[in-house]
Amino acid sequence: MPYIGVKTTKEISAEKEAALKAELGKAIETFPGKSEAWLMTEFSGGCHLWMRGDNSEDSAFVEVKIFGKIEHRSCDTMTGKLCEILSSCLGISPDRIYVTYSGYSEWGWNGGNF
């Protein structure tokens, strides 16, 4: 039950979205017990993001939400992977990417909660 949302100033073509989805599906395995089989992704391109008071370069904001407790070590590894993915797929510099993590004890699906 992981979720990864990506907001970026870059427009994201269908091809790039498919490539990102595939790479994020591999990267989510950084978290024990998580896989692409349950991963939900969201991509929002063309967002108006200002970073450090500047919008002259492309930027991204990534939210990672996980059912259960998350460990700092996994988050640290995942941030590296996310920056690598967004840099290679979209050309966004890692110093223009913010990533947040949230762990949840309640997560609903299919009419009930886990």
Side-chain angles (χ1 to χ4, degrees), residues 14-84:
E15 284 179 0
K16 293 282 185 181
E17 188 172 304
L20 284 167
K21 187 231 25 115
E23 290 300 316
L24 295 177
K26 294 176 199 169
I28 199 63
E29 294 177 4
T30 298
F31 296 95
K34 305 303 177 193
S35 70
E36 185 178 13
W38 287 94
L39 177 63
M40 178 180 280
T41 54
E42 176 185 16
F43 301 102
S44 298
C47 294
H48 298 273
L49 299 174
W50 290 71
M51 186 160 192
R52 297 187 301 262
D54 176 34
N55 71 347
S56 65
E57 297 179 53
D58 288 311
S59 301
F61 180 75
V62 182
E63 293 178 278
V64 180
K65 299 180 182 190
I66 302 283
F67 173 64
K69 187 177 182 209
I70 53 178
E71 296 180 7
H72 174 77
R73 183 178 22 189
S74 295
C75 294
D76 194 46
T77 301
M78 185 68 164
T79 297
K81 289 182 180 187
L82 289 168
C83 286
E84 196 174 290

